[in-house]
Amino acid sequence: MSIPTIVVSQTQVAERVDQFTGALVAYLGELGLPTQNVLVPTGERQRVIANLPDVIALIDHAKRGEALYLSKFIAACGAGLFDAALNFVWDETVVHLRKKVARFDLDYFYDSVVTDPARRAKLRDETDLTKIEEWELVRGCLLTGILSEIGYRHLDYIRDMRNWASAAHPNQNDLSGLQLISWLEICIREVIAKEPEAAAIEVKRFLNSIRNSILTEQDAQHIRSGMEHLPPDIVRSLLRTLFGMYTADNTATQVRSNIKLIASKCWGLAPEDARYECGLRFSTFAANGEVTRRTAANEFLTGIGGLGYLPPDTLAVEMAEKVTALYSAHSAFNNFYNEPAHAKNLLAYIPSTGRIPEAIRRSYVKTLVMAKIGNGYGVSGMAIPHYNEMIGRFTEDEFKELVRLPTDREFAARLSLRSCAPNFRSVVQSLVHLTTNQITQAAMNTIIAATDAQVPSLGRDTSFQRIINSY
Protein backbone atom coordinates (compact mmCIF):
# COMPACT_ATOMS: atom_id res chain seq x y z
CA MET A 1 0.00 0.00 0.00
CA SER A 2 1.51 3.31 -1.07
CA ILE A 3 1.67 6.25 1.31
CA PRO A 4 -0.17 9.32 -0.06
CA THR A 5 1.88 12.48 -0.62
CA ILE A 6 0.91 15.34 1.66
CA VAL A 7 1.15 18.75 -0.02
CA VAL A 8 1.42 21.61 2.45
CA SER A 9 0.15 24.95 1.17
CA GLN A 10 1.60 28.34 1.96
CA THR A 11 -1.47 29.10 4.14
CA GLN A 12 -0.96 25.89 6.10
CA VAL A 13 2.70 26.73 6.67
CA ALA A 14 1.73 30.16 8.03
CA GLU A 15 -0.88 28.60 10.34
CA ARG A 16 1.60 26.03 11.64
CA VAL A 17 4.16 28.77 12.22
CA ASP A 18 1.63 30.45 14.53
CA GLN A 19 0.96 27.15 16.31
CA PHE A 20 4.70 26.45 16.69
CA THR A 21 5.32 29.92 18.08
CA GLY A 22 2.57 29.59 20.68
CA ALA A 23 3.76 26.17 21.79
CA LEU A 24 7.41 27.22 21.97
CA VAL A 25 6.69 30.41 23.91
CA ALA A 26 4.59 28.41 26.38
CA TYR A 27 7.39 25.88 26.78
CA LEU A 28 9.95 28.63 27.40
CA GLY A 29 7.65 30.04 30.05
CA GLU A 30 7.40 26.67 31.76
CA LEU A 31 11.18 26.55 31.90
CA GLY A 32 11.31 30.02 33.41
CA LEU A 33 13.21 31.41 30.41
CA PRO A 34 12.59 34.78 28.68
CA THR A 35 9.77 34.78 26.15
CA GLN A 36 9.94 38.39 24.96
CA ASN A 37 12.15 39.48 22.03
CA VAL A 38 13.18 35.88 21.36
CA LEU A 39 11.32 35.30 18.10
CA VAL A 40 10.50 37.71 15.30
CA PRO A 41 6.73 38.50 15.16
CA THR A 42 4.77 36.06 13.02
CA GLY A 43 3.66 38.86 10.69
CA GLU A 44 7.27 39.43 9.65
CA ARG A 45 7.79 35.71 9.14
CA GLN A 46 4.68 35.49 6.99
CA ARG A 47 6.06 38.25 4.75
CA VAL A 48 9.04 36.03 4.04
CA ILE A 49 6.89 32.94 3.49
CA ALA A 50 4.57 34.83 1.13
CA ASN A 51 7.44 35.97 -1.08
CA LEU A 52 9.58 32.83 -1.03
CA PRO A 53 8.02 31.02 -4.04
CA ASP A 54 8.76 33.88 -6.45
CA VAL A 55 12.32 34.30 -5.18
CA ILE A 56 13.20 30.60 -5.12
CA ALA A 57 11.78 30.32 -8.65
CA LEU A 58 14.84 32.26 -9.84
CA ILE A 59 16.98 29.16 -9.18
CA ASP A 60 17.00 26.28 -11.67
CA HIS A 61 15.41 23.10 -10.32
CA ALA A 62 18.70 21.25 -10.83
CA LYS A 63 20.51 23.62 -8.46
CA ARG A 64 17.87 23.71 -5.74
CA GLY A 65 18.63 20.21 -4.48
CA GLU A 66 22.13 21.34 -3.43
CA ALA A 67 21.06 24.55 -1.67
CA LEU A 68 21.24 23.19 1.87
CA TYR A 69 21.69 26.58 3.51
CA LEU A 70 18.59 27.92 1.78
CA SER A 71 16.58 25.19 3.45
CA LYS A 72 18.11 26.23 6.75
CA PHE A 73 17.34 29.87 5.89
CA ILE A 74 13.66 29.05 5.38
CA ALA A 75 13.55 26.96 8.55
CA ALA A 76 15.10 29.80 10.56
CA CYS A 77 12.65 32.31 9.09
CA GLY A 78 9.72 30.08 9.98
CA ALA A 79 11.03 29.68 13.50
CA GLY A 80 11.38 33.46 13.85
CA LEU A 81 15.17 33.52 14.06
CA PHE A 82 15.99 36.13 11.44
CA ASP A 83 19.54 36.65 12.71
CA ALA A 84 20.30 32.98 12.09
CA ALA A 85 18.52 33.15 8.71
CA LEU A 86 20.81 35.98 7.62
CA ASN A 87 23.79 33.78 8.47
CA PHE A 88 22.41 30.93 6.39
CA VAL A 89 21.73 33.00 3.25
CA TRP A 90 25.25 34.42 3.50
CA ASP A 91 26.72 30.92 3.97
CA GLU A 92 24.91 29.75 0.82
CA THR A 93 26.28 32.76 -1.07
CA VAL A 94 29.85 32.05 0.07
CA VAL A 95 29.53 28.39 -0.94
CA HIS A 96 28.44 29.41 -4.45
CA LEU A 97 31.14 32.07 -4.77
CA ARG A 98 33.79 29.49 -3.91
CA LYS A 99 32.34 27.07 -6.46
CA LYS A 100 32.41 29.76 -9.15
CA VAL A 101 36.02 30.61 -8.33
CA ALA A 102 37.00 26.93 -8.44
CA ARG A 103 35.31 26.47 -11.84
CA PHE A 104 36.82 29.67 -13.16
CA ASP A 105 40.60 29.95 -12.64
CA LEU A 106 42.03 29.48 -9.17
CA ASP A 107 45.51 30.81 -9.90
CA TYR A 108 44.08 33.94 -11.49
CA PHE A 109 41.82 34.49 -8.50
CA TYR A 110 44.61 33.98 -5.95
CA ASP A 111 46.97 36.25 -7.89
CA SER A 112 44.28 38.94 -8.08
CA VAL A 113 43.33 39.04 -4.42
CA VAL A 114 46.55 38.10 -2.57
CA THR A 115 49.48 40.44 -3.11
CA ASP A 116 51.74 39.07 -0.36
CA PRO A 117 54.09 36.55 -2.09
CA ALA A 118 54.63 34.51 1.09
CA ARG A 119 50.91 34.08 1.66
CA ARG A 120 50.23 33.49 -2.04
CA ALA A 121 52.69 30.60 -2.07
CA LYS A 122 50.48 28.74 0.43
CA LEU A 123 47.37 28.94 -1.75
CA ARG A 124 47.37 26.11 -4.27
CA ASP A 125 43.99 24.46 -4.87
CA GLU A 126 40.26 24.62 -4.16
CA THR A 127 40.63 23.51 -0.54
CA ASP A 128 42.68 26.64 0.18
CA LEU A 129 39.71 28.89 -0.62
CA THR A 130 38.68 28.53 3.02
CA LYS A 131 41.87 30.43 3.91
CA ILE A 132 40.56 33.46 2.03
CA GLU A 133 38.51 35.74 4.27
CA GLU A 134 34.99 36.46 3.12
CA TRP A 135 35.68 40.14 2.39
CA GLU A 136 38.63 39.01 0.24
CA LEU A 137 36.43 36.47 -1.52
CA VAL A 138 33.85 39.11 -2.47
CA ARG A 139 36.51 41.66 -3.48
CA GLY A 140 38.42 39.03 -5.46
CA CYS A 141 35.29 38.10 -7.39
CA LEU A 142 34.92 41.77 -8.33
CA LEU A 143 38.57 42.03 -9.43
CA THR A 144 38.32 38.92 -11.60
CA GLY A 145 34.95 39.76 -13.14
CA ILE A 146 32.99 36.96 -11.46
CA LEU A 147 30.87 39.66 -9.80
CA SER A 148 29.55 42.82 -11.43
CA GLU A 149 30.17 46.16 -9.75
CA ILE A 150 26.54 46.43 -8.64
CA GLY A 151 26.67 42.84 -7.39
CA TYR A 152 29.81 43.63 -5.40
CA ARG A 153 28.19 46.67 -3.80
CA HIS A 154 25.13 44.69 -2.76
CA LEU A 155 27.08 41.72 -1.41
CA ASP A 156 29.56 43.87 0.48
CA TYR A 157 26.64 45.60 2.19
CA ILE A 158 24.97 42.28 3.02
CA ARG A 159 28.31 41.00 4.36
CA ASP A 160 28.49 44.05 6.64
CA MET A 161 24.92 43.47 7.81
CA ARG A 162 25.71 39.83 8.45
CA ASN A 163 28.64 40.89 10.63
CA TRP A 164 26.59 43.41 12.59
CA ALA A 165 23.06 42.01 12.59
CA SER A 166 23.59 38.26 12.60
CA ALA A 167 23.32 35.75 15.43
CA ALA A 168 26.60 37.12 16.80
CA HIS A 169 24.70 40.17 18.08
CA PRO A 170 21.43 40.43 20.06
CA ASN A 171 19.63 42.59 17.51
CA GLN A 172 17.54 40.27 15.35
CA ASN A 173 14.45 42.45 15.85
CA ASP A 174 16.10 45.12 13.71
CA LEU A 175 15.62 42.84 10.70
CA SER A 176 12.32 42.87 8.86
CA GLY A 177 10.86 40.16 6.66
CA LEU A 178 11.04 42.36 3.56
CA GLN A 179 14.73 43.16 4.21
CA LEU A 180 15.54 39.48 4.56
CA ILE A 181 13.67 38.39 1.43
CA SER A 182 15.24 41.27 -0.49
CA TRP A 183 18.76 40.18 0.51
CA LEU A 184 17.93 36.60 -0.42
CA GLU A 185 16.79 37.76 -3.86
CA ILE A 186 20.01 39.77 -4.36
CA CYS A 187 22.19 36.80 -3.40
CA ILE A 188 20.27 34.55 -5.78
CA ARG A 189 20.30 37.02 -8.69
CA GLU A 190 23.93 38.08 -8.33
CA VAL A 191 25.53 34.78 -7.30
CA ILE A 192 23.49 31.61 -6.93
CA ALA A 193 21.61 31.82 -10.24
CA LYS A 194 24.10 33.93 -12.21
CA GLU A 195 27.10 33.07 -14.36
CA PRO A 196 30.31 35.18 -14.35
CA GLU A 197 30.54 38.42 -16.31
CA ALA A 198 31.60 38.29 -19.98
CA ALA A 199 35.00 39.79 -19.15
CA ALA A 200 35.70 36.99 -16.69
CA ILE A 201 34.82 34.33 -19.25
CA GLU A 202 37.14 36.01 -21.76
CA VAL A 203 40.04 36.05 -19.29
CA LYS A 204 39.44 32.40 -18.45
CA ARG A 205 39.76 31.59 -22.14
CA PHE A 206 42.98 33.63 -22.38
CA LEU A 207 44.59 31.91 -19.42
CA ASN A 208 43.54 28.44 -20.55
CA SER A 209 45.22 29.06 -23.92
CA ILE A 210 48.38 30.38 -22.28
CA ARG A 211 48.68 27.39 -19.96
CA ASN A 212 47.68 24.59 -22.31
CA SER A 213 48.47 25.63 -25.91
CA ILE A 214 51.42 26.51 -28.11
CA LEU A 215 50.43 30.00 -29.21
CA THR A 216 51.32 31.36 -32.63
CA GLU A 217 51.62 35.05 -33.40
CA GLN A 218 48.15 34.92 -34.95
CA ASP A 219 46.73 33.35 -31.78
CA ALA A 220 48.43 36.02 -29.69
CA GLN A 221 47.01 38.76 -31.91
CA HIS A 222 43.46 37.59 -31.12
CA ILE A 223 44.24 37.61 -27.40
CA ARG A 224 45.82 41.06 -27.60
CA SER A 225 42.76 42.39 -29.43
CA GLY A 226 40.46 40.89 -26.82
CA MET A 227 42.39 42.60 -24.02
CA GLU A 228 41.44 46.01 -25.41
CA HIS A 229 37.83 45.43 -24.40
CA LEU A 230 38.53 44.45 -20.79
CA PRO A 231 37.79 46.86 -17.90
CA PRO A 232 40.88 48.41 -16.24
CA ASP A 233 40.40 46.44 -13.00
CA ILE A 234 40.37 43.16 -14.96
CA VAL A 235 43.50 44.17 -16.88
CA ARG A 236 45.19 44.98 -13.57
CA SER A 237 44.38 41.50 -12.25
CA LEU A 238 45.45 39.87 -15.51
CA LEU A 239 48.85 41.60 -15.46
CA ARG A 240 49.34 40.50 -11.86
CA THR A 241 48.58 36.92 -12.90
CA LEU A 242 50.83 36.94 -15.96
CA PHE A 243 53.69 38.29 -13.85
CA GLY A 244 53.02 35.66 -11.18
CA MET A 245 52.90 32.83 -13.73
CA TYR A 246 56.09 33.99 -15.43
CA THR A 247 58.06 34.25 -12.19
CA ALA A 248 56.82 31.02 -10.59
CA ASP A 249 59.53 28.39 -10.07
CA ASN A 250 57.56 25.59 -11.74
CA THR A 251 56.36 27.43 -14.87
CA ALA A 252 57.05 25.56 -18.11
CA THR A 253 59.20 27.17 -20.80
CA GLN A 254 56.31 27.07 -23.28
CA VAL A 255 54.04 28.96 -20.89
CA ARG A 256 56.67 31.68 -20.53
CA SER A 257 56.99 31.85 -24.30
CA ASN A 258 53.22 32.31 -24.60
CA ILE A 259 53.26 35.07 -21.99
CA LYS A 260 56.01 36.93 -23.88
CA LEU A 261 53.67 37.19 -26.88
CA ILE A 262 51.00 39.12 -24.97
CA ALA A 263 52.75 40.68 -21.95
CA SER A 264 53.60 43.99 -23.65
CA LYS A 265 49.98 44.56 -24.66
CA CYS A 266 48.72 43.82 -21.15
CA TRP A 267 51.39 46.08 -19.69
CA GLY A 268 50.40 48.93 -22.00
CA LEU A 269 46.73 48.65 -21.05
CA ALA A 270 47.29 48.21 -17.32
CA PRO A 271 46.96 51.14 -14.89
CA GLU A 272 50.15 52.71 -13.56
CA ASP A 273 49.72 51.24 -10.07
CA ALA A 274 49.61 47.72 -11.52
CA ARG A 275 52.95 48.31 -13.25
CA TYR A 276 54.53 49.61 -10.07
CA GLU A 277 53.21 46.56 -8.25
CA CYS A 278 55.28 44.35 -10.57
CA GLY A 279 58.31 46.43 -9.66
CA LEU A 280 57.54 45.97 -6.00
CA ARG A 281 57.34 42.21 -6.38
CA PHE A 282 60.72 42.24 -8.14
CA SER A 283 62.18 44.07 -5.14
CA THR A 284 60.56 41.58 -2.78
CA PHE A 285 62.16 38.64 -4.58
CA ALA A 286 65.53 40.36 -4.30
CA ALA A 287 65.09 41.17 -0.61
CA ASN A 288 64.08 37.57 0.18
CA GLY A 289 67.00 36.07 -1.69
CA GLU A 290 64.73 34.34 -4.25
CA VAL A 291 67.33 34.39 -7.00
CA THR A 292 65.40 32.31 -9.54
CA ARG A 293 62.24 34.38 -9.25
CA ARG A 294 64.21 37.63 -9.26
CA THR A 295 65.89 36.57 -12.50
CA ALA A 296 62.54 35.70 -14.07
CA ALA A 297 61.06 39.01 -12.92
CA ASN A 298 63.99 40.89 -14.42
CA GLU A 299 63.48 39.02 -17.69
CA PHE A 300 59.75 39.83 -17.69
CA LEU A 301 60.25 43.54 -16.98
CA THR A 302 63.14 43.83 -19.44
CA GLY A 303 61.04 42.29 -22.20
CA ILE A 304 58.30 44.89 -21.80
CA GLY A 305 60.51 47.87 -20.98
CA GLY A 306 59.32 47.98 -17.38
CA LEU A 307 62.55 48.23 -15.39
CA GLY A 308 61.86 51.93 -14.87
CA TYR A 309 59.07 50.92 -12.51
CA LEU A 310 61.41 49.38 -9.94
CA PRO A 311 61.34 51.21 -6.57
CA PRO A 312 64.42 53.26 -5.75
CA ASP A 313 64.95 51.58 -2.37
CA THR A 314 63.44 49.13 0.09
CA LEU A 315 61.23 51.78 1.70
CA ALA A 316 58.48 51.09 -0.78
CA VAL A 317 58.56 47.37 0.03
CA GLU A 318 58.36 47.98 3.76
CA MET A 319 55.57 50.52 3.39
CA ALA A 320 53.61 48.24 1.07
CA GLU A 321 53.57 45.55 3.74
CA LYS A 322 52.32 48.02 6.33
CA VAL A 323 49.61 49.39 4.00
CA THR A 324 48.41 45.84 3.28
CA ALA A 325 48.34 45.04 6.99
CA LEU A 326 46.29 48.17 7.73
CA TYR A 327 43.88 47.41 4.89
CA SER A 328 43.39 43.85 6.14
CA ALA A 329 42.85 45.02 9.73
CA HIS A 330 40.36 47.67 8.58
CA SER A 331 38.39 45.18 6.47
CA ALA A 332 38.29 42.36 9.00
CA PHE A 333 36.18 41.86 12.13
CA ASN A 334 37.06 43.88 15.28
CA ASN A 335 38.69 46.47 13.04
CA PHE A 336 38.15 49.32 15.55
CA TYR A 337 40.31 47.43 18.05
CA ASN A 338 42.98 46.21 15.61
CA GLU A 339 43.54 49.28 13.44
CA PRO A 340 45.51 51.54 15.84
CA ALA A 341 48.58 49.30 16.05
CA HIS A 342 48.77 48.97 12.27
CA ALA A 343 48.23 52.70 11.80
CA LYS A 344 51.05 53.45 14.24
CA ASN A 345 53.38 51.04 12.44
CA LEU A 346 52.64 52.69 9.08
CA LEU A 347 53.15 56.19 10.49
CA ALA A 348 56.68 55.24 11.53
CA TYR A 349 57.60 54.81 7.85
CA ILE A 350 56.25 58.18 6.65
CA PRO A 351 59.09 60.70 6.07
CA SER A 352 58.74 64.18 7.51
CA THR A 353 58.57 65.57 3.98
CA GLY A 354 55.42 63.52 3.45
CA ARG A 355 56.64 62.29 0.07
CA ILE A 356 55.47 58.75 -0.54
CA PRO A 357 57.22 56.37 -2.97
CA GLU A 358 55.30 56.49 -6.21
CA ALA A 359 55.03 52.72 -6.32
CA ILE A 360 52.62 52.56 -3.38
CA ARG A 361 51.18 56.09 -3.31
CA ARG A 362 47.79 55.11 -4.72
CA SER A 363 47.22 52.18 -2.35
CA TYR A 364 48.57 54.24 0.55
CA VAL A 365 46.17 57.14 -0.02
CA LYS A 366 43.22 54.84 -0.72
CA THR A 367 43.77 52.66 2.35
CA LEU A 368 44.42 55.61 4.64
CA VAL A 369 41.35 57.57 3.52
CA MET A 370 39.11 54.46 3.64
CA ALA A 371 40.16 53.92 7.25
CA LYS A 372 39.71 57.61 8.03
CA ILE A 373 36.12 57.81 6.70
CA GLY A 374 35.13 54.53 8.38
CA ASN A 375 33.04 51.57 7.29
CA GLY A 376 29.56 52.97 7.82
CA TYR A 377 29.51 52.04 11.50
CA GLY A 378 32.14 54.44 12.72
CA VAL A 379 35.89 55.04 12.78
CA SER A 380 38.57 53.57 15.03
CA GLY A 381 38.90 56.34 17.63
CA MET A 382 42.34 55.28 18.83
CA ALA A 383 43.66 55.32 15.26
CA ILE A 384 42.27 58.76 14.29
CA PRO A 385 45.33 60.74 15.55
CA HIS A 386 47.60 58.58 13.39
CA TYR A 387 45.36 59.01 10.35
CA ASN A 388 45.18 62.77 10.88
CA GLU A 389 48.95 63.05 11.13
CA MET A 390 49.55 61.05 7.94
CA ILE A 391 46.87 62.91 5.99
CA GLY A 392 48.30 66.17 7.29
CA ARG A 393 51.58 65.31 5.54
CA PHE A 394 49.96 64.89 2.12
CA THR A 395 51.73 66.69 -0.72
CA GLU A 396 50.36 67.66 -4.12
CA ASP A 397 51.02 64.12 -5.39
CA GLU A 398 48.83 62.67 -2.65
CA PHE A 399 46.14 65.31 -3.28
CA LYS A 400 45.88 64.11 -6.88
CA GLU A 401 45.32 60.55 -5.71
CA LEU A 402 42.81 61.77 -3.12
CA VAL A 403 40.54 63.45 -5.67
CA ARG A 404 40.79 60.42 -7.97
CA LEU A 405 39.39 58.11 -5.27
CA PRO A 406 35.71 58.46 -6.37
CA THR A 407 36.72 56.84 -9.69
CA ASP A 408 37.88 53.72 -7.84
CA ARG A 409 35.05 51.16 -7.81
CA GLU A 410 35.81 49.77 -4.36
CA PHE A 411 36.13 53.22 -2.84
CA ALA A 412 32.93 54.41 -4.57
CA ALA A 413 31.12 51.44 -3.02
CA ARG A 414 32.39 52.50 0.41
CA LEU A 415 31.03 56.03 -0.13
CA SER A 416 27.51 54.63 -0.46
CA LEU A 417 27.56 53.49 3.19
CA ARG A 418 26.13 55.79 5.82
CA SER A 419 28.40 58.55 7.17
CA CYS A 420 31.19 57.71 4.69
CA ALA A 421 30.26 60.36 2.12
CA PRO A 422 30.13 63.26 4.62
CA ASN A 423 33.34 62.00 6.25
CA PHE A 424 35.08 62.00 2.86
CA ARG A 425 33.88 65.53 2.13
CA SER A 426 35.18 66.58 5.55
CA VAL A 427 38.65 65.18 4.75
CA VAL A 428 38.71 67.01 1.42
CA GLN A 429 37.43 70.24 3.06
CA SER A 430 40.31 70.15 5.56
CA LEU A 431 42.89 69.97 2.75
CA VAL A 432 41.54 72.26 0.03
CA HIS A 433 43.38 75.31 1.38
CA LEU A 434 46.72 73.46 1.23
CA THR A 435 46.88 73.17 -2.56
CA THR A 436 47.49 75.83 -5.17
CA ASN A 437 46.90 73.51 -8.11
CA GLN A 438 43.80 74.78 -9.92
CA ILE A 439 42.80 71.32 -11.18
CA THR A 440 43.05 69.86 -7.68
CA GLN A 441 41.09 72.77 -6.23
CA ALA A 442 38.34 72.33 -8.85
CA ALA A 443 38.10 68.61 -8.10
CA MET A 444 38.07 69.19 -4.35
CA ASN A 445 35.39 71.88 -4.59
CA THR A 446 33.25 69.56 -6.71
CA ILE A 447 33.50 66.86 -4.02
CA ILE A 448 32.72 69.34 -1.25
CA ALA A 449 29.68 70.73 -3.10
CA ALA A 450 28.20 67.28 -3.82
CA THR A 451 25.40 65.87 -1.69
CA ASP A 452 25.65 62.59 0.22
CA ALA A 453 23.67 60.90 -2.56
CA GLN A 454 25.85 62.37 -5.32
CA VAL A 455 29.30 61.61 -3.85
CA PRO A 456 29.24 57.79 -4.51
CA SER A 457 28.50 58.43 -8.20
CA LEU A 458 31.01 61.24 -8.78
CA GLY A 459 33.47 58.88 -10.43
CA ARG A 460 30.99 58.30 -13.25
CA ASP A 461 30.07 61.98 -13.65
CA THR A 462 31.43 63.26 -16.97
CA SER A 463 32.14 66.76 -15.71
CA PHE A 464 34.11 65.38 -12.74
CA GLN A 465 35.98 62.97 -15.02
CA ARG A 466 36.85 65.91 -17.27
CA ILE A 467 38.47 67.69 -14.31
CA ILE A 468 40.44 64.60 -13.26
CA ASN A 469 41.61 63.95 -16.82
CA SER A 470 43.02 67.48 -16.99
CA TYR A 471 46.10 66.50 -14.98
Side-chain angles (χ1 to χ4, degrees):
M1 180 178 178
S2 61
I3 300 175
T5 301
I6 300 175
V7 179
V8 180
S9 69
Q10 184 174 304
T11 302
Q12 289 174 307
V13 171
E15 290 174 351
R16 293 179 185 181
V17 163
D18 287 339
Q19 294 171 0
F20 169 80
T21 299
L24 180 59
V25 169
Y27 182 59
L28 292 174
E30 290 179 8
L31 295 175
L33 294 173
T35 59
Q36 299 296 317
N37 299 320
V38 176
L39 305 177
V40 170
T42 55
E44 292 295 334
R45 285 179 263 173
Q46 288 171 356
R47 287 189 177 92
V48 177
I49 294 169
N51 287 280
L52 271 173
D54 290 337
V55 176
I56 297 298
L58 298 171
I59 309 175
D60 291 339
H61 279 278
K63 294 182 178 180
R64 295 183 197 178
E66 301 175 354
L68 175 64
Y69 287 110
L70 290 190
S71 293
K72 293 186 176 184
F73 166 84
I74 295 172
C77 288
L81 300 173
F82 278 12
D83 48 359
L86 180 54
N87 267 338
F88 290 136
V89 72
W90 181 251
D91 289 344
E92 186 70 30
T93 302
V94 168
V95 166
H96 278 267
L97 283 176
R98 287 174 178 162
K99 287 181 179 178
K100 290 179 187 296
V101 169
R103 291 202 315 269
F104 179 52
D105 193 294
L106 273 173
D107 286 334
Y108 175 50
F109 177 84
Y110 287 142
D111 286 337
S112 298
V113 76
V114 179
T115 56
D116 178 13
R119 184 183 174 210
R120 171 64 183 90
K122 299 176 182 178
L123 303 173
R124 303 179 186 278
D125 53 31
E126 183 178 351
T127 60
D128 293 324
L129 282 171
T130 57
K131 300 176 183 177
I132 298 292
E133 292 196 39
E134 291 173 358
W135 68 268
E136 292 179 302
L137 177 67
V138 176
R139 179 172 177 267
C141 287
L142 169 70
L143 295 176
T144 53
I146 295 174
L147 275 177
S148 66
E149 181 177 354
I150 189 67
Y152 167 76
R153 290 195 183 201
H154 281 312
L155 288 188
D156 200 45
Y157 175 73
I158 294 171
R159 181 186 66 84
D160 269 341
M161 289 303 299
R162 182 260 188 163
N163 286 342
W164 290 93
S166 71
H169 301 276
N171 51 13
Q172 64 165 312
N173 290 315
D174 290 339
L175 302 177
S176 71
L178 293 180
Q179 280 179 316
L180 212 53
I181 201 70
S182 173
W183 292 337
L184 172 64
E185 181 180 12
I186 288 170
C187 291
I188 289 175
R189 287 188 182 277
E190 296 296 336
V191 179
I192 299 171
K194 186 178 182 180
E195 293 304 313
E197 297 289 295
I201 297 172
E202 188 77 353
V203 170
K204 179 180 181 180
R205 186 171 64 84
F206 292 165
L207 295 176
N208 183 66
S209 297
I210 291 167
R211 289 192 176 102
N212 303 306
S213 304
I214 300 176
L215 296 181
T216 64
E217 173 58 31
Q218 186 176 7
D219 296 329
Q221 179 58 43
H222 290 305
I223 294 177
R224 292 194 294 263
S225 298
M227 286 182 186
E228 296 177 357
H229 304 289
L230 297 176
D233 284 348
I234 303 296
V235 176
R236 176 188 288 111
S237 298
L238 180 58
L239 177 62
R240 185 181 292 161
T241 298
L242 294 178
F243 184 85
M245 290 170 61
Y246 197 94
T247 57
D249 292 332
N250 59 349
T251 300
T253 301
Q254 184 57 55
V255 173
R256 287 198 174 110
S257 298
N258 290 341
I259 293 174
K260 287 179 181 178
L261 292 173
I262 64 171
S264 292
K265 182 66 174 183
C266 188
W267 180 269
L269 294 171
E272 284 284 285
D273 63 294
R275 302 177 193 177
Y276 279 111
E277 183 180 312
C278 292
L280 274 173
R281 293 177 70 181
F282 173 95
S283 184
T284 301
F285 297 152
N288 292 339
E290 299 177 82
V291 178
T292 302
R293 300 197 72 181
R294 181 189 180 280
T295 301
N298 182 279
E299 185 178 286
F300 181 93
L301 293 171
T302 300
I304 58 178
L307 287 175
Y309 286 82
L310 293 177
D313 49 45
T314 58
L315 176 62
V317 177
E318 295 294 330
M319 283 189 61
E321 293 177 357
K322 300 302 180 290
V323 168
T324 299
L326 176 59
Y327 184 92
S328 298
H330 175 68
S331 300
F333 202 64
N334 288 332
N335 62 298
F336 295 159
Y337 176 80
N338 293 324
E339 282 182 38
H342 293 286
K344 183 179 180 180
N345 289 340
L346 177 58
L347 177 59
Y349 284 87
I350 309 302
S352 58
T353 60
R355 295 197 62 82
I356 305 302
E358 190 172 6
I360 53 96
R361 183 179 297 128
R362 179 181 181 273
S363 60
Y364 167 73
V365 172
K366 176 181 173 181
T367 299
L368 183 55
V369 176
M370 284 183 73
K372 168 65 177 175
I373 68 175
N375 57 9
Y377 297 98
V379 183
S380 176
M382 296 288 288
I384 288 178
H386 303 314
Y387 298 149
N388 289 343
E389 186 167 351
M390 285 185 276
I391 291 174
R393 297 187 192 181
F394 276 5
T395 67
E396 186 58 39
D397 289 329
E398 286 72 55
F399 293 153
K400 291 178 181 178
E401 295 298 335
L402 173 69
V403 297
R404 288 190 179 106
L405 286 177
T407 66
D408 181 281
R409 291 198 295 172
E410 183 182 15
F411 190 84
R414 173 62 60 86
L415 290 174
S416 64
L417 301 179
R418 64 184 181 188
S419 78
C420 292
N423 286 350
F424 179 56
R425 287 204 313 274
S426 178
V427 170
V428 175
Q429 178 77 62
S430 69
L431 299 173
V432 68
H433 68 284
L434 298 178
T435 178
T436 57
N437 186 299
Q438 293 184 351
I439 299 174
T440 303
Q441 287 178 341
M444 286 184 168
N445 287 327
T446 301
I447 294 171
I448 295 168
T451 65
D452 289 356
Q454 292 171 335
V455 170
S457 302
L458 271 181
R460 300 192 300 273
D461 182 81
T462 54
S463 60
F464 184 75
Q465 290 176 347
R466 195 177 302 115
I467 296 173
I468 298 299
N469 292 335
S470 299
Y471 280 115

